Amino acid sequence: MTRLARFSTLLLVLSSLACGSRPDAESTTPEPTSRVEQRHDGIPRLRVNQLALRLDLPLFWHADTDGDGAVDPDEVRSLRFYPEPAAWVQDGRFTPAFEEAWQRIVAESREPAPEDERRRLVREELDRAAPTLVHTDLSEAPETHRTFAVHMLRVADAVDAIYAKQVGMTALEARLPEDVESRSLFRRNWGPKCRGNTTEANPACSAIAGAPGQPVDVYPADMQEDDAFCTTLEERADAAELLTPFTVVRERDGALVAVPYTEAYADEMGAIARELDAAADAMTDPEERALVAYLRAAAQAFRTNDWEPADEAWSRMNARNSSWYVRVGPDETYWDPCSRKAGFHLTLALVNRDSLSWQDRLTPLQQDMERSLAALVSDAYEPRDVQFHMPDFIDIVVNAGDDRDAFGATIGQSLPNWGLVAEEGRGRTVAMSNLYTDPDSQQMRRAQAASLLSAETMGSYTSSPTPGLLSTILHEATHNLGPAHEYRVNGQTADDAFGGGMASMLEELKAQSGALYFLELLEERGVIDEQAQREAYLDSIVWAFGHISRGMYAPGGQRKAYSQLSAIQVGFLLDEGALSYDPAAAAADGSHQGAFTIHFEHMPEASRKLMELVMRIKATNDRARAEELAARYVDGDRVPQAMIVERYRDFPRQSFVYSVELE
């Protein structure tokens, strides 16, 4: 089978599902090598993982447990979401498949840079990644849970296939060249475009010669040749119908029409529905009734395109009535150039019970939090009765489709975005508690912070995950507070008033401003102490630096919501004196000149002013004020964006990979 045919296996997985075969069947396990095992060393661990990525090998060296500088059988993992599965270890020894892979890695480490400029840039992007493992061991789980997981991993592959079609990846597959690094980048990036800090803006960096564009499947391809096509759609008289989230726009008989997902992706959605029913059948644990009810409802939604019954069933799941977190369907719109159409995704995770103590402390405060926001703009917004779930902590097993980005991963989410559950504030929010908590991630993040912050401020830095989880909890909770979801001003939603890209950015700005603003309330109520408050402020600033380092706009001109909100926050805090930047000051790492200092005593008042401003913009649909913010902090020079980008270029970007152990 050619490499092209092997890659096609993922995109043809739905036909195998329809026939009842297993799409992710394990490859035949080779016999372990009988010769004297060689020592596998001489290449640093990060470099081994980078070279495996370049070679499109589902191999990961997760830790040098014994510190001997060599890869040992108990230190490797086999990864998912690659063209072919592989067994690297059997009976505690490396298999011939591993030995072959190791020889390829060694040979690749000695390869000179290609003469072809496109391939050289592709390698640069792959080699600037820091593959970061999310590993889950289900081998000791009850059999019914393991069988359920097998079905959900099949759902993950099927969701990948439908999302690949949505984003236009499938349509470009036939144009892929034979070189392995281009195929690896294409697989990881959901298409040929480069996404790295040093390569994203270079049009020559592409997995396909000629750097073709990638029209998304949810709008006619010829329409997307006009950079302003989103505005053209938004200004049409039938925009409300065409831009609904669960449809695609098609041209029929010379007119544009909205076609339901169930019609546009009928075969794919039907196959996913069948596999979700199979997962529900497999889950016979009587303690998982809420999970089974959601799986049945989600399966039906994939058949009808009516997602509200699934949302209702999903809203009744929580950390107390299920050990699993599952969300499957079309939800977020950030991938869409117009920020209107919902992308298919799967989040499969295990509930982390540590969240229960936070829920017990914060749930009694949620109505007070709503009143506090309303009081900031009492002339423009009336408080609502809010009844949403405080965030559950979840440990990710796999992310599929729109959940799995080329770089980084979502650390918090509030859903759904539409419908009665959203309008009534009954959605669920989660914080992903096992991402960025590994030693490699913690070490890199500390070094990044020290390259930008003064030694004085770094004195409050901690590698504990608690400040980040607290910020995520407050961010996701704030999504459910204030002018949220389908809030209207004079009949207009935020999408109507601001346009999709600006509306998405403002909603995330509101949420992250809440992560700063509510720290004072928690400190006053005794939920956290002053030290925890400082650590959370600091964590949010470092989080903002990371997003600023990724640039404000995608190559196509779309707003990067998190990057832009981060620039607005940092710029506003600079203006208010809660943050200062001295270009002559030494950074805490001793290697860089120019450093930020957080003035913690000014953070509560500055955070209150920021929250008030954002609330007023959202509560009144004040587009002019929103554009002023973007002009000053996103497009202006108040924030030293170029310097932040340059500092972060010294570090590889994290790219999450996934491994699941079932036996």
Side-chain angles (χ1 to χ4, degrees):
M1 184 182 293
T2 66
R3 292 199 60 82
L4 181 57
R6 286 201 297 267
F7 186 84
S8 297
T9 301
L10 170 63
L11 302 180
L12 293 176
V13 67
L14 296 165
S15 61
S16 64
L17 281 171
C19 296
S21 62
R22 181 179 176 183
D24 60 338
E26 294 293 332
S27 59
T28 302
T29 304
E31 292 298 319
T33 180
S34 58
R35 64 174 183 261
V36 176
E37 293 186 358
Q38 63 175 314
R39 184 176 171 86
H40 305 89
D41 61 1
I43 307 176
R45 184 165 62 88
L46 173 60
R47 190 62 184 144
V48 167
N49 293 329
Q50 290 172 330
L51 291 167
L53 172 64
R54 187 198 288 183
L55 292 168
D56 212 16
L57 291 169
L59 172 66
F60 191 85
W61 182 11
H62 73 91
D64 186 11
T65 307
D66 55 8
D68 66 349
V71 189
D72 299 312
D74 63 345
E75 297 173 352
V76 299
R77 297 284 185 262
S78 183
L79 304 178
R80 292 193 55 82
F81 307 117
Y82 275 72
E84 288 185 343
W88 306 122
V89 177
Q90 182 180 339
D91 299 329
R93 300 170 65 187
F94 286 127
T95 64
F98 176 84
E99 299 296 347
E100 179 186 352
W102 179 255
Q103 292 306 315
R104 291 182 63 193
I105 288 170
V106 171
E108 191 69 20
S109 70
R110 299 167 180 164
E111 279 287 313
E115 294 183 3
D116 178 72
E117 177 69 0
R118 181 193 65 78
R119 289 185 63 189
R120 186 190 67 77
L121 289 168
V122 166
R123 284 194 181 186
E124 177 184 331
E125 161 135 337
L126 294 173
D127 290 352
R128 290 285 299 165
T132 304
L133 182 67
V134 178
H135 175 71
T136 305
D137 184 358
L138 297 175
S139 61
E140 300 299 321
E143 182 177 358
T144 184
H145 287 255
R146 284 186 284 116
T147 305
F148 156 80
V150 168
H151 286 290
M152 293 308 300
L153 293 174
R154 295 177 187 174
V155 171
D157 288 340
V159 166
D160 269 10
I162 194 171
Y163 183 66
K165 191 171 184 179
Q166 265 193 309
V167 300
M169 177 186 182
T170 308
L172 292 173
E173 182 198 354
R175 300 176 63 178
L176 272 173
E178 286 298 320
D179 63 277
V180 68
E181 62 264 36
S182 294
R183 292 173 173 272
S184 184
L185 184 142
F186 185 79
R187 171 192 56 78
R188 188 198 66 179
N189 287 14
W190 295 104
K193 295 180 181 178
C194 290
R195 307 289 186 188
N197 283 345
T198 63
T199 52
E200 182 180 43
N202 189 334
C205 189
S206 172
I208 299 176
Q214 185 173 334
V216 295
D217 185 64
V218 292
Y219 307 105
D222 57 352
M223 174 179 287
Q224 296 174 60
E225 295 176 2
D226 179 2
D227 291 341
F229 86 94
C230 294
T231 301
T232 300
L233 281 171
E234 290 170 352
E235 292 177 348
R236 287 174 60 102
D238 57 353
E241 178 183 352
L242 291 177
L243 296 176
T244 51
F246 308 127
T247 63
V248 302
V249 178
R250 296 286 189 252
E251 186 172 354
R252 292 180 177 172
D253 299 324
L256 296 181
V257 296
V259 177
Y261 278 172
T262 39
E263 181 179 337
Y265 307 120
D267 292 342
E268 294 90 343
M269 293 180 72
I272 293 173
R274 289 190 290 276
E275 200 61 43
L276 287 171
D277 276 334
D281 291 341
M283 180 52 76
T284 58
D285 185 340
E287 300 298 317
E288 294 291 345
R289 295 185 186 90
L291 170 62
V292 171
Y294 171 61
L295 294 172
R296 301 282 188 209
Q300 185 64 10
F302 271 91
R303 295 185 177 98
T304 65
N305 210 37
D306 179 5
W307 301 95
E308 290 202 23
D311 289 340
E312 290 287 352
W314 183 70
S315 71
R316 290 190 285 271
M317 291 179 63
N318 56 58
R320 289 175 168 82
N321 65 18
S322 179
S323 59
W324 290 90
Y325 175 90
V326 178
R327 178 73 183 183
V328 60
D331 275 310
E332 302 288 19
T333 64
Y334 301 114
W335 67 279
D336 170 18
C338 301
S339 297
R340 295 294 192 134
K341 303 298 182 180
F344 285 93
H345 73 116
L346 166 70
T347 308
L348 178 66
L350 289 163
V351 169
N352 184 326
R353 302 287 178 177
D354 290 344
S355 60
L356 298 180
S357 62
W358 278 107
Q359 290 174 2
D360 290 340
R361 282 181 279 176
L362 295 179
T363 297
L365 299 180
Q366 59 183 213
Q367 194 61 52
D368 289 344
M369 295 165 75
E370 170 71 5
R371 293 192 191 98
S372 177
L373 289 184
L376 294 174
V377 288
S378 58
D379 59 323
Y381 176 78
E382 292 287 334
R384 299 174 292 115
D385 290 332
V386 292
Q387 296 179 353
F388 60 92
H389 296 297
M390 276 294 179
D392 294 327
F393 290 177
I394 60 172
D395 292 334
I396 295 295
V397 177
V398 294
N399 286 324
D402 190 35
D403 279 346
R404 198 174 69 254
D405 295 328
F407 293 102
T410 298
I411 59 173
Q413 195 168 41
S414 293
L415 294 171
N417 291 320
W418 305 277
L420 194 60
V421 172
E423 291 174 16
E424 295 181 352
R426 295 186 287 110
R428 296 185 67 188
T429 59
V430 290
M432 290 66 169
S433 50
N434 65 329
L435 301 182
Y436 300 102
T437 58
D438 59 285
D440 289 343
S441 296
Q442 291 179 352
Q443 181 180 6
M444 184 185 300
R445 194 169 194 262
R446 177 179 282 274
Q448 290 168 336
S451 75
L452 284 166
L453 294 171
S454 65
E456 174 189 352
T457 295
M458 277 299 293
S460 295
Y461 187 91
T462 175
S463 293
S464 167
T466 300
L469 285 171
L470 176 57
S471 294
T472 301
I473 290 169
L474 294 177
H475 175 112
E476 297 305 327
T478 308
H479 273 307
N480 297 278
L481 301 169
H485 307 300
E486 296 188 348
Y487 179 83
R488 294 174 182 268
V489 179
N490 298 324
Q492 283 194 315
T493 66
D495 281 341
D496 298 329
F498 299 106
M502 176 67 85
S504 295
M505 187 276 284
L506 288 173
E507 176 59 25
E508 295 302 332
L509 175 61
K510 183 196 78 172
Q512 188 59 20
S513 297
L516 297 175
Y517 171 69
F518 286 122
L519 290 173
E520 182 71 0
L521 174 65
L522 297 190
E523 197 272 336
E524 290 174 352
R525 299 295 180 88
V527 176
I528 60 174
D529 59 20
E530 184 178 353
Q531 181 61 30
Q533 183 186 33
R534 284 185 168 224
E535 291 171 354
Y537 281 138
L538 175 52
D539 183 271
S540 288
I541 297 300
V542 174
W543 179 91
F545 289 154
H547 282 284
I548 290 171
S549 76
R550 301 172 190 179
M552 298 294 112
Y553 296 93
Q558 299 89 0
R559 295 180 186 275
K560 291 185 176 180
Y562 292 105
S563 296
Q564 294 199 7
L565 84 83
S566 297
I568 290 171
Q569 285 198 331
V570 168
F572 190 90
L573 294 174
L574 285 168
D575 283 348
E576 292 295 320
L579 189 65
S580 61
Y581 175 69
D582 183 352
D589 65 359
S591 301
H592 292 92
Q593 181 176 323
F596 290 90
T597 296
I598 301 175
H599 304 283
F600 292 103
E601 69 276 14
H602 298 309
M603 283 296 293
E605 177 62 14
S607 299
R608 186 196 67 77
K609 289 182 178 180
L610 176 61
M611 191 78 251
E612 179 181 353
L613 174 60
V614 176
M615 277 289 293
R616 188 164 297 281
I617 290 172
K618 291 273 290 178
T620 61
N621 279 354
D622 189 344
R623 181 168 184 163
R625 190 69 182 96
E627 290 176 347
E628 287 177 12
L629 277 181
R632 176 165 175 76
Y633 301 123
V634 174
D635 302 321
D637 59 3
R638 183 65 181 98
V639 179
Q641 295 180 25
M643 182 274 295
I644 295 171
V645 169
E646 187 63 30
R647 299 276 171 95
Y648 270 75
R649 281 182 177 168
D650 293 340
F651 302 92
R653 285 186 67 183
Q654 290 174 286
S655 181
F656 283 101
V657 292
Y658 300 84
S659 173
V660 182
E661 190 174 346
L662 291 167
E663 298 178 355

